[in-house]
Amino acid sequence: MHTAQDILERIFGYRAFRSDQADIIAALLEGRDVLALMPTGGGKSLCYQIPSLVREGTGIVVSPLIALMQDQVEALRQLGIRAAFLNSTLEPEAQRGVEEALVSGALDLLYVAPERLLTERMLETLERVKIALFAIDEAHCVSQWGHDFRPEYRRLSTLAERFHAVPRIALTATADARTRKEIITELRLANAAEFVASFDRPNIRYAITDAGEGMSGRERLWRFIDERHPRDAGIVYCLSRKMTEDVAAWLSARGREALPYHAGLSRETRQHNQARFLREDGLVIVATIAFGMGIDKPDVRFVAHLSLPKSIEAYYQETGRAGRDGEPADAWMAYRIQDAVRLRQFIRDSEASDEQKRIEAAKLDALIGLCELTTCRRHALLAYFGEDGPERCGNCDNCLAPPETAERTEDARKALSAVYRTGQRFGAGYVVNVLRGKADTRIARNGHDRLATFGIGADRSQSEWRHLLRQLIARGHLMVDDERHGALRLTEKCRPLLRGEAAFHIRLPGKEKARAGRRHGAGAMAVQLGEGERALFDALKALRMRLAGEQGVPAYVICHDRSLYDLVTQRPQTREALHDIAGFGEAKIARYGEAFLEVLNRFAPQGEAEAP
Ligand code: ADP
Ligand code: ZN
């Protein structure tokens, strides 16, 4: 029998399992159901692909992202795995072929759209064949609270009844407790083994700069791309359609090919631009948030924001599209406080209920707090999602080049105390008025003008207090209660501050140390290569592009950047040595080994000099 580890090495070309992968696979091999929560790029697919190969029968993968199925299946076939998909894009003829392969036991993995799986005909077919497991991908689609609700996902509960002996695994990158509970109930996973991985994306470097003064956001973007990603694929997010077109044209005019993407473009243009982004190496796409859902390109090396996202959730989701392959990637943002004013206006003028508006405003505040933060960005992000990471990550701008700060411990305590004394029932505006001693009618009615904290902060301006509150929120000392109209509440984390055991520093606006720390630490891998290595890397990339073009598949389906990088640094000379390259399993070596070795040989050092 092939053990999971053996398959990992021999077929996938990887050495060790990541985070919970081994435990999840073991649970499925024991026949248990599993609920797995992992961030994007965490390695969810192997969790069901490997047990599908180990267990007898076909692994059935349910996914709503039918646009991705073809590439996913193609990537598996490249590994020598017998995979196929069934969805509405397939011609009837091809469909019949897949069904026949399924019935005759000739498939290791079958990807199916939920509506297709749930047809009576399909279910009856499945009852006649041996099934290794069911994998329900994007399982948060069963949740009505999420933004991706798919009614047909609820009907997947039928799998629990009709196939009770077959283990099921539900996978998602959406973590919140409410969604998780709904998945368990709706998919009948009460007895499932639950695995919740950290949501940290250690390979992503976070950097946020204030473009309010000096160089424009665009110029900063140019400098960032030019210095760190001269040849990499990346996404630039903008707020408006017009801005995406302007920025794309501007980048192209400066010699960096960039395409726009927004909901106002024709369907053909959007599809064309998206397909080019997926299939070509090193293209930049300048987009509104309409771009991204279902984009599964693993080698996006940077996500840049030229406008503020709406919330920390949106920021994390959008930046999460960088570096899915686990290699170094950048999440970079240049914001202007005017953007915030504009977003606030959008919120105020929207059709939403007052409560919804307050929640959105509070979320925007938390995001601005993150922008103005002086401490580790990753720590703040993880804290926002309820995870307690290390105080310093060493891979964000603030860790790499600490900004100029001022101590505001006393003020922070005053603010926390004002929140507490007013009963943790009010939003930032109210608290600031109490601090500054501005008795509006609400404050007077509540008697808060008689509190000891009333007016203790009269020496600071309204914007200084708002700045401070945003930072307290961003660092998790205060939380914004969504269910209570955006009221501020104290958290456990603020205790040391209140007890006088911790200090509180803020970033001084406009005095950021420009360029410090640039090019230090682990940058994107292409930047780290020396000149000779760079030429080899480019030649390998060109070979990959040619192979991909011949088969009409995206370059990453042939192999990931990590494999190319390993080839450059390890310079294997034999087929045997290729086994040490990440992602090179037996099938890939058989198919492409010679071609890659041939390029490597051309670049082999001859004495001191290097060939071409
Ligand atoms: P997710 O579905 O969670 O977003 P994927 O399953 O697509 O993530 O995996 C992300 C990347 O990590 C892929 O390129 C995959 O090949 C790679 N990967 C997954 N597991 C491992 C591992 N154990 N060792 C090396 N690379 C891995
Ligand atoms: Zn950090």
Side-chain angles (χ1 to χ4, degrees), residues 64 131 142 151 210 224 230 250 321 356 360 403 446 453 480 490 562 594 606:
I131 299 172
V142 297
D210 180 351
F224 160 72
W250 185 80
R321 293 177 183 136
Q356 190 63 33
E360 284 178 19
N446 293 327
T453 38
V480 180
L490 305 193
R562 162 55 48 184
E594 288 307 325
Q606 297 168 344

Side-chain angles (χ1 to χ4, degrees), residues 412-433:
R413 251 185 253 147
K414 286 180 187 169
L416 294 174
S417 151
V419 170
Y420 184 72
R421 303 266 162 177
T422 52
Q424 312 189 62
R425 291 187 291 126
F426 301 96
Y430 189 97
V431 173
V432 170
N433 281 345

Side-chain angles (χ1 to χ4, degrees), residues 8 12 14-18 21 38-46 49 137 296 298 324-326 560 582:
L8 178 75
F12 290 90
Y14 297 138
R15 241 169 259 169
F17 285 113
R18 277 188 194 158
Q21 283 175 335
M38 268 188 208
T40 308
K44 286 187 281 300
S45 338
L46 283 189
Q49 288 166 349
D137 208 1
D296 205 11
R324 288 190 182 199
D325 53 9
H560 282 182

